Amino acid sequence: MELQFKRHRRLRQNAAIRNLVRETQLHPYDFIYPIFVTYGEKVRNEVPSMPGVFQLSLDELEKEIKEVVDLNIQAVILFGIPESKDEVGSGAYDDHGIVQEAIRLIKKLAPELIVIADTCLCEFTDHGHCGLVHEGKILNDPSLDLLARTAVSQARAGADIIAPSNMMDGFVAAIRYGLDQAGFTDVPIMSYAVKYASAFYGPFRDAAHSTPQFGDRKTYQMDPANAREALREAESDVAEGADLLIVKPAMAYMDIIQRVREQFNLPVVAYNVSGEYAMIKAAAQNGWIDEQKIVLEMLTGMKRAGADMIITYFAKDVAKWLQGRN
């Protein structure tokens, strides 16, 4: 009796065949590169826990933007480190704040580059929380007005996309209303729709100086154990006017990326966060892994799970690898 079975290896025999049947492809257009901007001159401070990532003053930004454009990366997302902080995060919605000035400069240097503004208060408040605080409680509704003011100020400076990351209930509705009232009806909202209270954010908080001065963010960011809640959060943001949906973090939440992709027709963004970046960098520096192979496999997995685009600190490296600029 002759054995009958499928010969799946027929389509794996050589590199050309494997390339022809590959289902998921990475391209520089897939990536959004995060940039940290700060005050001062000639500031190029490497973040200790994020090798290769820098806090940049505006005069150092031109070189960075030139490299991003040269690598065919089409979008950056900005995070600001202000000169001073206060209890209401006024630097976030100051028309001459660090993020607003960086937006203007980038649009002057590279008008075609998509500039995404992270819209939150935590980097600008002296308590490090994403909303107003009263007697140790993070206030939801009073924070919405300041978040909307921040979004309008960023749009006025020239931001192409607003990316609110605060996780206050109703933040998309408040920001959409504020943008529309100010005449920015065409500015999309890339909502941090599904943002978990994750331990993977540690290096980012070093980079952005945004560690909470008391408590934690578990009353407004999501419990990592919950999946159905993610769909409720995303559904609310879609109803309130979100144009794109972020899932953050990515590596431990591939199932969430897939569920959001299956449930909603909006573009899905995976945020490959700072802790994910730092772990790979540390292991690679110790010679324990092949950084290039690991990163490409990880980002391919995010796309395979359903991400249309990926916010990643590896963006420049991957763009070089994909273009053979090792």
PDB file of all heavy atoms in Angstrom, residues 76 78 95 99-108 110-117 150-162 179 184 186-188:
ATOM      1  N   VAL A  76       6.848  59.625  11.878  1.00  0.00           N
ATOM      2  CA  VAL A  76       7.472  59.661  13.203  1.00  0.00           C
ATOM      3  C   VAL A  76       6.399  60.023  14.222  1.00  0.00           C
ATOM      4  O   VAL A  76       5.387  60.639  13.882  1.00  0.00           O
ATOM      5  CB  VAL A  76       8.631  60.683  13.274  1.00  0.00           C
ATOM      6  CG1 VAL A  76       9.755  60.295  12.325  1.00  0.00           C
ATOM      7  CG2 VAL A  76       8.141  62.101  12.990  1.00  0.00           C
ATOM      8  N   LEU A  78       6.121  61.882  18.073  1.00  0.00           N
ATOM      9  CA  LEU A  78       6.907  62.744  18.941  1.00  0.00           C
ATOM     10  C   LEU A  78       6.472  62.652  20.400  1.00  0.00           C
ATOM     11  O   LEU A  78       5.281  62.671  20.712  1.00  0.00           O
ATOM     12  CB  LEU A  78       6.779  64.203  18.498  1.00  0.00           C
ATOM     13  CG  LEU A  78       7.320  64.562  17.112  1.00  0.00           C
ATOM     14  CD1 LEU A  78       7.118  66.047  16.856  1.00  0.00           C
ATOM     15  CD2 LEU A  78       8.794  64.187  16.980  1.00  0.00           C
ATOM     16  N   ASP A  95       1.234  76.565  22.987  1.00  0.00           N
ATOM     17  CA  ASP A  95       1.472  76.668  21.539  1.00  0.00           C
ATOM     18  C   ASP A  95       2.953  76.746  21.197  1.00  0.00           C
ATOM     19  O   ASP A  95       3.341  76.508  20.049  1.00  0.00           O
ATOM     20  CB  ASP A  95       0.741  77.883  20.964  1.00  0.00           C
ATOM     21  CG  ASP A  95      -0.736  77.616  20.743  1.00  0.00           C
ATOM     22  OD1 ASP A  95      -1.123  76.423  20.713  1.00  0.00           O
ATOM     23  OD2 ASP A  95      -1.510  78.585  20.612  1.00  0.00           O
ATOM     24  N   VAL A  99       6.931  70.004  21.996  1.00  0.00           N
ATOM     25  CA  VAL A  99       6.379  69.169  20.920  1.00  0.00           C
ATOM     26  C   VAL A  99       5.899  70.033  19.760  1.00  0.00           C
ATOM     27  O   VAL A  99       6.149  69.734  18.592  1.00  0.00           O
ATOM     28  CB  VAL A  99       5.240  68.271  21.449  1.00  0.00           C
ATOM     29  CG1 VAL A  99       4.506  67.588  20.303  1.00  0.00           C
ATOM     30  CG2 VAL A  99       5.796  67.228  22.413  1.00  0.00           C
ATOM     31  N   GLN A 100       5.216  71.138  20.091  1.00  0.00           N
ATOM     32  CA  GLN A 100       4.710  72.029  19.043  1.00  0.00           C
ATOM     33  C   GLN A 100       5.860  72.622  18.225  1.00  0.00           C
ATOM     34  O   GLN A 100       5.776  72.696  16.983  1.00  0.00           O
ATOM     35  CB  GLN A 100       3.871  73.148  19.675  1.00  0.00           C
ATOM     36  CG  GLN A 100       2.512  72.702  20.191  1.00  0.00           C
ATOM     37  CD  GLN A 100       2.560  72.047  21.564  1.00  0.00           C
ATOM     38  OE1 GLN A 100       3.631  71.769  22.088  1.00  0.00           O
ATOM     39  NE2 GLN A 100       1.390  71.818  22.145  1.00  0.00           N
ATOM     40  N   GLU A 101       6.927  73.014  18.895  1.00  0.00           N
ATOM     41  CA  GLU A 101       8.069  73.576  18.167  1.00  0.00           C
ATOM     42  C   GLU A 101       8.735  72.504  17.303  1.00  0.00           C
ATOM     43  O   GLU A 101       9.177  72.784  16.182  1.00  0.00           O
ATOM     44  CB  GLU A 101       9.081  74.171  19.158  1.00  0.00           C
ATOM     45  CG  GLU A 101       8.561  75.385  19.925  1.00  0.00           C
ATOM     46  CD  GLU A 101       8.315  76.599  19.040  1.00  0.00           C
ATOM     47  OE1 GLU A 101       8.687  76.578  17.848  1.00  0.00           O
ATOM     48  OE2 GLU A 101       7.750  77.591  19.537  1.00  0.00           O
ATOM     49  N   ALA A 102       8.802  71.279  17.819  1.00  0.00           N
ATOM     50  CA  ALA A 102       9.396  70.195  17.033  1.00  0.00           C
ATOM     51  C   ALA A 102       8.547  69.883  15.805  1.00  0.00           C
ATOM     52  O   ALA A 102       9.084  69.619  14.717  1.00  0.00           O
ATOM     53  CB  ALA A 102       9.545  68.952  17.910  1.00  0.00           C
ATOM     54  N   ILE A 103       7.228  69.907  15.956  1.00  0.00           N
ATOM     55  CA  ILE A 103       6.344  69.669  14.810  1.00  0.00           C
ATOM     56  C   ILE A 103       6.603  70.697  13.719  1.00  0.00           C
ATOM     57  O   ILE A 103       6.763  70.348  12.541  1.00  0.00           O
ATOM     58  CB  ILE A 103       4.866  69.727  15.245  1.00  0.00           C
ATOM     59  CG1 ILE A 103       4.524  68.568  16.186  1.00  0.00           C
ATOM     60  CG2 ILE A 103       3.944  69.700  14.019  1.00  0.00           C
ATOM     61  CD1 ILE A 103       3.178  68.719  16.871  1.00  0.00           C
ATOM     62  N   ARG A 104       6.653  71.962  14.107  1.00  0.00           N
ATOM     63  CA  ARG A 104       6.878  73.029  13.114  1.00  0.00           C
ATOM     64  C   ARG A 104       8.210  72.831  12.390  1.00  0.00           C
ATOM     65  O   ARG A 104       8.300  72.995  11.170  1.00  0.00           O
ATOM     66  CB  ARG A 104       6.852  74.398  13.797  1.00  0.00           C
ATOM     67  CG  ARG A 104       5.490  74.804  14.340  1.00  0.00           C
ATOM     68  CD  ARG A 104       5.498  76.243  14.842  1.00  0.00           C
ATOM     69  NE  ARG A 104       4.245  76.564  15.495  1.00  0.00           N
ATOM     70  CZ  ARG A 104       4.038  76.482  16.805  1.00  0.00           C
ATOM     71  NH1 ARG A 104       5.035  76.136  17.614  1.00  0.00           N
ATOM     72  NH2 ARG A 104       2.858  76.769  17.325  1.00  0.00           N
ATOM     73  N   LEU A 105       9.226  72.483  13.145  1.00  0.00           N
ATOM     74  CA  LEU A 105      10.540  72.307  12.551  1.00  0.00           C
ATOM     75  C   LEU A 105      10.550  71.134  11.578  1.00  0.00           C
ATOM     76  O   LEU A 105      11.069  71.240  10.456  1.00  0.00           O
ATOM     77  CB  LEU A 105      11.587  72.096  13.653  1.00  0.00           C
ATOM     78  CG  LEU A 105      13.018  71.824  13.173  1.00  0.00           C
ATOM     79  CD1 LEU A 105      13.538  72.975  12.315  1.00  0.00           C
ATOM     80  CD2 LEU A 105      13.941  71.581  14.362  1.00  0.00           C
ATOM     81  N   ILE A 106       9.958  70.022  11.980  1.00  0.00           N
ATOM     82  CA  ILE A 106       9.961  68.846  11.107  1.00  0.00           C
ATOM     83  C   ILE A 106       9.172  69.110   9.831  1.00  0.00           C
ATOM     84  O   ILE A 106       9.595  68.722   8.728  1.00  0.00           O
ATOM     85  CB  ILE A 106       9.392  67.623  11.852  1.00  0.00           C
ATOM     86  CG1 ILE A 106      10.332  67.217  12.989  1.00  0.00           C
ATOM     87  CG2 ILE A 106       9.201  66.442  10.893  1.00  0.00           C
ATOM     88  CD1 ILE A 106       9.777  66.141  13.899  1.00  0.00           C
ATOM     89  N   LYS A 107       8.030  69.768   9.949  1.00  0.00           N
ATOM     90  CA  LYS A 107       7.232  70.056   8.751  1.00  0.00           C
ATOM     91  C   LYS A 107       7.963  71.022   7.820  1.00  0.00           C
ATOM     92  O   LYS A 107       7.753  70.984   6.603  1.00  0.00           O
ATOM     93  CB  LYS A 107       5.865  70.621   9.140  1.00  0.00           C
ATOM     94  CG  LYS A 107       4.972  69.659   9.915  1.00  0.00           C
ATOM     95  CD  LYS A 107       4.829  68.293   9.262  1.00  0.00           C
ATOM     96  CE  LYS A 107       4.054  68.329   7.955  1.00  0.00           C
ATOM     97  NZ  LYS A 107       3.850  66.958   7.402  1.00  0.00           N
ATOM     98  N   LYS A 108       8.841  71.832   8.381  1.00  0.00           N
ATOM     99  CA  LYS A 108       9.666  72.717   7.553  1.00  0.00           C
ATOM    100  C   LYS A 108      10.785  71.931   6.879  1.00  0.00           C
ATOM    101  O   LYS A 108      11.079  72.135   5.692  1.00  0.00           O
ATOM    102  CB  LYS A 108      10.261  73.835   8.419  1.00  0.00           C
ATOM    103  CG  LYS A 108      11.127  74.829   7.657  1.00  0.00           C
ATOM    104  CD  LYS A 108      11.656  75.915   8.586  1.00  0.00           C
ATOM    105  CE  LYS A 108      12.547  76.888   7.828  1.00  0.00           C
ATOM    106  NZ  LYS A 108      13.082  77.958   8.725  1.00  0.00           N
ATOM    107  N   ALA A 110      10.922  68.536   6.386  1.00  0.00           N
ATOM    108  CA  ALA A 110      10.445  67.425   5.561  1.00  0.00           C
ATOM    109  C   ALA A 110       8.929  67.454   5.499  1.00  0.00           C
ATOM    110  O   ALA A 110       8.253  66.693   6.216  1.00  0.00           O
ATOM    111  CB  ALA A 110      10.943  66.098   6.129  1.00  0.00           C
ATOM    112  N   PRO A 111       8.368  68.315   4.662  1.00  0.00           N
ATOM    113  CA  PRO A 111       6.905  68.481   4.625  1.00  0.00           C
ATOM    114  C   PRO A 111       6.153  67.193   4.326  1.00  0.00           C
ATOM    115  O   PRO A 111       5.009  67.032   4.752  1.00  0.00           O
ATOM    116  CB  PRO A 111       6.709  69.508   3.500  1.00  0.00           C
ATOM    117  CG  PRO A 111       8.005  70.212   3.364  1.00  0.00           C
ATOM    118  CD  PRO A 111       9.057  69.206   3.716  1.00  0.00           C
ATOM    119  N   GLU A 112       6.804  66.270   3.613  1.00  0.00           N
ATOM    120  CA  GLU A 112       6.122  65.036   3.221  1.00  0.00           C
ATOM    121  C   GLU A 112       6.084  63.999   4.344  1.00  0.00           C
ATOM    122  O   GLU A 112       5.322  63.025   4.281  1.00  0.00           O
ATOM    123  CB  GLU A 112       6.816  64.420   2.001  1.00  0.00           C
ATOM    124  CG  GLU A 112       8.164  63.779   2.256  1.00  0.00           C
ATOM    125  CD  GLU A 112       9.332  64.744   2.437  1.00  0.00           C
ATOM    126  OE1 GLU A 112       9.121  65.978   2.461  1.00  0.00           O
ATOM    127  OE2 GLU A 112      10.474  64.258   2.544  1.00  0.00           O
ATOM    128  N   LEU A 113       6.903  64.178   5.383  1.00  0.00           N
ATOM    129  CA  LEU A 113       6.958  63.223   6.481  1.00  0.00           C
ATOM    130  C   LEU A 113       5.717  63.369   7.366  1.00  0.00           C
ATOM    131  O   LEU A 113       5.337  64.480   7.741  1.00  0.00           O
ATOM    132  CB  LEU A 113       8.219  63.467   7.317  1.00  0.00           C
ATOM    133  CG  LEU A 113       8.525  62.467   8.431  1.00  0.00           C
ATOM    134  CD1 LEU A 113       8.838  61.089   7.868  1.00  0.00           C
ATOM    135  CD2 LEU A 113       9.697  62.970   9.288  1.00  0.00           C
ATOM    136  N   ILE A 114       5.072  62.252   7.679  1.00  0.00           N
ATOM    137  CA  ILE A 114       3.903  62.282   8.544  1.00  0.00           C
ATOM    138  C   ILE A 114       4.368  62.453   9.987  1.00  0.00           C
ATOM    139  O   ILE A 114       5.147  61.647  10.499  1.00  0.00           O
ATOM    140  CB  ILE A 114       3.073  60.988   8.406  1.00  0.00           C
ATOM    141  CG1 ILE A 114       2.522  60.855   6.984  1.00  0.00           C
ATOM    142  CG2 ILE A 114       1.933  60.944   9.431  1.00  0.00           C
ATOM    143  CD1 ILE A 114       1.582  61.965   6.579  1.00  0.00           C
ATOM    144  N   VAL A 115       3.879  63.504  10.634  1.00  0.00           N
ATOM    145  CA  VAL A 115       4.239  63.779  12.028  1.00  0.00           C
ATOM    146  C   VAL A 115       3.041  63.457  12.914  1.00  0.00           C
ATOM    147  O   VAL A 115       1.972  64.056  12.777  1.00  0.00           O
ATOM    148  CB  VAL A 115       4.668  65.243  12.222  1.00  0.00           C
ATOM    149  CG1 VAL A 115       5.006  65.498  13.690  1.00  0.00           C
ATOM    150  CG2 VAL A 115       5.866  65.572  11.335  1.00  0.00           C
ATOM    151  N   ILE A 116       3.242  62.496  13.805  1.00  0.00           N
ATOM    152  CA  ILE A 116       2.212  62.072  14.745  1.00  0.00           C
ATOM    153  C   ILE A 116       2.569  62.638  16.110  1.00  0.00           C
ATOM    154  O   ILE A 116       3.712  62.511  16.564  1.00  0.00           O
ATOM    155  CB  ILE A 116       2.115  60.544  14.810  1.00  0.00           C
ATOM    156  CG1 ILE A 116       1.876  59.972  13.403  1.00  0.00           C
ATOM    157  CG2 ILE A 116       1.023  60.095  15.774  1.00  0.00           C
ATOM    158  CD1 ILE A 116       2.093  58.470  13.313  1.00  0.00           C
ATOM    159  N   ALA A 117       1.611  63.263  16.769  1.00  0.00           N
ATOM    160  CA  ALA A 117       1.852  63.848  18.084  1.00  0.00           C
ATOM    161  C   ALA A 117       1.231  62.982  19.162  1.00  0.00           C
ATOM    162  O   ALA A 117       0.018  62.767  19.167  1.00  0.00           O
ATOM    163  CB  ALA A 117       1.275  65.262  18.150  1.00  0.00           C
ATOM    164  N   THR A 150      -4.690  70.215  24.188  1.00  0.00           N
ATOM    165  CA  THR A 150      -3.387  69.746  23.731  1.00  0.00           C
ATOM    166  C   THR A 150      -3.451  69.307  22.268  1.00  0.00           C
ATOM    167  O   THR A 150      -2.592  69.671  21.454  1.00  0.00           O
ATOM    168  CB  THR A 150      -2.905  68.580  24.614  1.00  0.00           C
ATOM    169  OG1 THR A 150      -2.805  69.019  25.973  1.00  0.00           O
ATOM    170  CG2 THR A 150      -1.560  68.061  24.146  1.00  0.00           C
ATOM    171  N   ALA A 151      -4.478  68.549  21.928  1.00  0.00           N
ATOM    172  CA  ALA A 151      -4.630  68.064  20.553  1.00  0.00           C
ATOM    173  C   ALA A 151      -4.776  69.217  19.568  1.00  0.00           C
ATOM    174  O   ALA A 151      -4.158  69.216  18.491  1.00  0.00           O
ATOM    175  CB  ALA A 151      -5.832  67.134  20.457  1.00  0.00           C
ATOM    176  N   VAL A 152      -5.587  70.200  19.925  1.00  0.00           N
ATOM    177  CA  VAL A 152      -5.792  71.357  19.048  1.00  0.00           C
ATOM    178  C   VAL A 152      -4.487  72.127  18.869  1.00  0.00           C
ATOM    179  O   VAL A 152      -4.133  72.543  17.752  1.00  0.00           O
ATOM    180  CB  VAL A 152      -6.905  72.264  19.600  1.00  0.00           C
ATOM    181  CG1 VAL A 152      -6.965  73.580  18.825  1.00  0.00           C
ATOM    182  CG2 VAL A 152      -8.254  71.548  19.533  1.00  0.00           C
ATOM    183  N   SER A 153      -3.744  72.307  19.957  1.00  0.00           N
ATOM    184  CA  SER A 153      -2.468  73.009  19.865  1.00  0.00           C
ATOM    185  C   SER A 153      -1.492  72.263  18.963  1.00  0.00           C
ATOM    186  O   SER A 153      -0.774  72.870  18.160  1.00  0.00           O
ATOM    187  CB  SER A 153      -1.876  73.163  21.272  1.00  0.00           C
ATOM    188  OG  SER A 153      -0.614  73.784  21.227  1.00  0.00           O
ATOM    189  N   GLN A 154      -1.472  70.935  19.060  1.00  0.00           N
ATOM    190  CA  GLN A 154      -0.584  70.144  18.216  1.00  0.00           C
ATOM    191  C   GLN A 154      -1.010  70.202  16.754  1.00  0.00           C
ATOM    192  O   GLN A 154      -0.169  70.314  15.852  1.00  0.00           O
ATOM    193  CB  GLN A 154      -0.571  68.696  18.717  1.00  0.00           C
ATOM    194  CG  GLN A 154       0.073  68.540  20.089  1.00  0.00           C
ATOM    195  CD  GLN A 154      -0.187  67.175  20.706  1.00  0.00           C
ATOM    196  OE1 GLN A 154      -1.148  66.500  20.352  1.00  0.00           O
ATOM    197  NE2 GLN A 154       0.665  66.756  21.635  1.00  0.00           N
ATOM    198  N   ALA A 155      -2.310  70.162  16.510  1.00  0.00           N
ATOM    199  CA  ALA A 155      -2.812  70.270  15.133  1.00  0.00           C
ATOM    200  C   ALA A 155      -2.498  71.647  14.566  1.00  0.00           C
ATOM    201  O   ALA A 155      -2.124  71.780  13.394  1.00  0.00           O
ATOM    202  CB  ALA A 155      -4.308  69.995  15.099  1.00  0.00           C
ATOM    203  N   ARG A 156      -2.642  72.656  15.383  1.00  0.00           N
ATOM    204  CA  ARG A 156      -2.343  74.023  14.946  1.00  0.00           C
ATOM    205  C   ARG A 156      -0.869  74.164  14.560  1.00  0.00           C
ATOM    206  O   ARG A 156      -0.511  74.914  13.642  1.00  0.00           O
ATOM    207  CB  ARG A 156      -2.703  75.001  16.069  1.00  0.00           C
ATOM    208  CG  ARG A 156      -2.639  76.479  15.656  1.00  0.00           C
ATOM    209  CD  ARG A 156      -2.962  77.381  16.837  1.00  0.00           C
ATOM    210  NE  ARG A 156      -4.321  77.171  17.315  1.00  0.00           N
ATOM    211  CZ  ARG A 156      -4.652  76.837  18.561  1.00  0.00           C
ATOM    212  NH1 ARG A 156      -3.701  76.650  19.459  1.00  0.00           N
ATOM    213  NH2 ARG A 156      -5.910  76.682  18.896  1.00  0.00           N
ATOM    214  N   ALA A 157      -0.008  73.429  15.246  1.00  0.00           N
ATOM    215  CA  ALA A 157       1.422  73.472  14.939  1.00  0.00           C
ATOM    216  C   ALA A 157       1.762  72.724  13.654  1.00  0.00           C
ATOM    217  O   ALA A 157       2.847  72.906  13.103  1.00  0.00           O
ATOM    218  CB  ALA A 157       2.220  72.888  16.103  1.00  0.00           C
ATOM    219  N   GLY A 158       0.834  71.866  13.196  1.00  0.00           N
ATOM    220  CA  GLY A 158       1.059  71.159  11.935  1.00  0.00           C
ATOM    221  C   GLY A 158       1.061  69.653  12.032  1.00  0.00           C
ATOM    222  O   GLY A 158       1.381  68.973  11.041  1.00  0.00           O
ATOM    223  N   ALA A 159       0.696  69.088  13.191  1.00  0.00           N
ATOM    224  CA  ALA A 159       0.664  67.629  13.320  1.00  0.00           C
ATOM    225  C   ALA A 159      -0.312  67.036  12.311  1.00  0.00           C
ATOM    226  O   ALA A 159      -1.426  67.518  12.139  1.00  0.00           O
ATOM    227  CB  ALA A 159       0.257  67.241  14.737  1.00  0.00           C
ATOM    228  N   ASP A 160       0.118  65.968  11.663  1.00  0.00           N
ATOM    229  CA  ASP A 160      -0.728  65.297  10.674  1.00  0.00           C
ATOM    230  C   ASP A 160      -1.722  64.351  11.330  1.00  0.00           C
ATOM    231  O   ASP A 160      -2.823  64.139  10.818  1.00  0.00           O
ATOM    232  CB  ASP A 160       0.148  64.498   9.701  1.00  0.00           C
ATOM    233  CG  ASP A 160       1.083  65.389   8.912  1.00  0.00           C
ATOM    234  OD1 ASP A 160       0.602  66.140   8.047  1.00  0.00           O
ATOM    235  OD2 ASP A 160       2.306  65.331   9.167  1.00  0.00           O
ATOM    236  N   ILE A 161      -1.322  63.753  12.455  1.00  0.00           N
ATOM    237  CA  ILE A 161      -2.157  62.790  13.170  1.00  0.00           C
ATOM    238  C   ILE A 161      -2.016  63.050  14.662  1.00  0.00           C
ATOM    239  O   ILE A 161      -0.908  63.309  15.157  1.00  0.00           O
ATOM    240  CB  ILE A 161      -1.745  61.335  12.859  1.00  0.00           C
ATOM    241  CG1 ILE A 161      -1.918  61.031  11.366  1.00  0.00           C
ATOM    242  CG2 ILE A 161      -2.547  60.339  13.695  1.00  0.00           C
ATOM    243  CD1 ILE A 161      -1.397  59.646  10.962  1.00  0.00           C
ATOM    244  N   ILE A 162      -3.128  62.969  15.386  1.00  0.00           N
ATOM    245  CA  ILE A 162      -3.126  63.099  16.833  1.00  0.00           C
ATOM    246  C   ILE A 162      -3.237  61.700  17.433  1.00  0.00           C
ATOM    247  O   ILE A 162      -4.106  60.915  17.062  1.00  0.00           O
ATOM    248  CB  ILE A 162      -4.313  63.968  17.307  1.00  0.00           C
ATOM    249  CG1 ILE A 162      -4.183  65.393  16.750  1.00  0.00           C
ATOM    250  CG2 ILE A 162      -4.416  63.972  18.824  1.00  0.00           C
ATOM    251  CD1 ILE A 162      -2.938  66.130  17.178  1.00  0.00           C
ATOM    252  N   LEU A 179     -11.065  69.120  18.007  1.00  0.00           N
ATOM    253  CA  LEU A 179     -10.442  69.313  16.696  1.00  0.00           C
ATOM    254  C   LEU A 179     -11.448  69.852  15.682  1.00  0.00           C
ATOM    255  O   LEU A 179     -11.138  70.772  14.910  1.00  0.00           O
ATOM    256  CB  LEU A 179      -9.854  67.990  16.198  1.00  0.00           C
ATOM    257  CG  LEU A 179      -8.614  67.462  16.922  1.00  0.00           C
ATOM    258  CD1 LEU A 179      -8.290  66.044  16.451  1.00  0.00           C
ATOM    259  CD2 LEU A 179      -7.415  68.377  16.711  1.00  0.00           C
ATOM    260  N   PHE A 184     -10.176  71.521  12.475  1.00  0.00           N
ATOM    261  CA  PHE A 184      -9.258  70.462  12.064  1.00  0.00           C
ATOM    262  C   PHE A 184     -10.023  69.156  11.822  1.00  0.00           C
ATOM    263  O   PHE A 184      -9.669  68.091  12.350  1.00  0.00           O
ATOM    264  CB  PHE A 184      -8.166  70.273  13.117  1.00  0.00           C
ATOM    265  CG  PHE A 184      -7.293  71.481  13.300  1.00  0.00           C
ATOM    266  CD1 PHE A 184      -7.376  72.251  14.450  1.00  0.00           C
ATOM    267  CD2 PHE A 184      -6.404  71.862  12.308  1.00  0.00           C
ATOM    268  CE1 PHE A 184      -6.581  73.371  14.624  1.00  0.00           C
ATOM    269  CE2 PHE A 184      -5.594  72.986  12.455  1.00  0.00           C
ATOM    270  CZ  PHE A 184      -5.688  73.751  13.623  1.00  0.00           C
ATOM    271  N   ASP A 186     -10.106  67.326   9.277  1.00  0.00           N
ATOM    272  CA  ASP A 186      -9.388  66.345   8.471  1.00  0.00           C
ATOM    273  C   ASP A 186      -8.212  65.700   9.207  1.00  0.00           C
ATOM    274  O   ASP A 186      -7.517  64.857   8.638  1.00  0.00           O
ATOM    275  CB  ASP A 186      -8.868  66.994   7.183  1.00  0.00           C
ATOM    276  CG  ASP A 186      -9.989  67.376   6.230  1.00  0.00           C
ATOM    277  OD1 ASP A 186     -11.057  66.721   6.292  1.00  0.00           O
ATOM    278  OD2 ASP A 186      -9.807  68.312   5.439  1.00  0.00           O
ATOM    279  N   VAL A 187      -7.958  66.095  10.448  1.00  0.00           N
ATOM    280  CA  VAL A 187      -6.850  65.524  11.209  1.00  0.00           C
ATOM    281  C   VAL A 187      -7.309  64.223  11.868  1.00  0.00           C
ATOM    282  O   VAL A 187      -8.231  64.223  12.684  1.00  0.00           O
ATOM    283  CB  VAL A 187      -6.337  66.506  12.280  1.00  0.00           C
ATOM    284  CG1 VAL A 187      -5.289  65.838  13.171  1.00  0.00           C
ATOM    285  CG2 VAL A 187      -5.742  67.747  11.621  1.00  0.00           C
ATOM    286  N   PRO A 188      -6.700  63.084  11.512  1.00  0.00           N
ATOM    287  CA  PRO A 188      -7.125  61.797  12.074  1.00  0.00           C
ATOM    288  C   PRO A 188      -6.685  61.626  13.530  1.00  0.00           C
ATOM    289  O   PRO A 188      -5.714  62.247  13.981  1.00  0.00           O
ATOM    290  CB  PRO A 188      -6.419  60.765  11.182  1.00  0.00           C
ATOM    291  CG  PRO A 188      -5.811  61.529  10.063  1.00  0.00           C
ATOM    292  CD  PRO A 188      -5.624  62.922  10.526  1.00  0.00           C
TER     293      PRO A 188
END
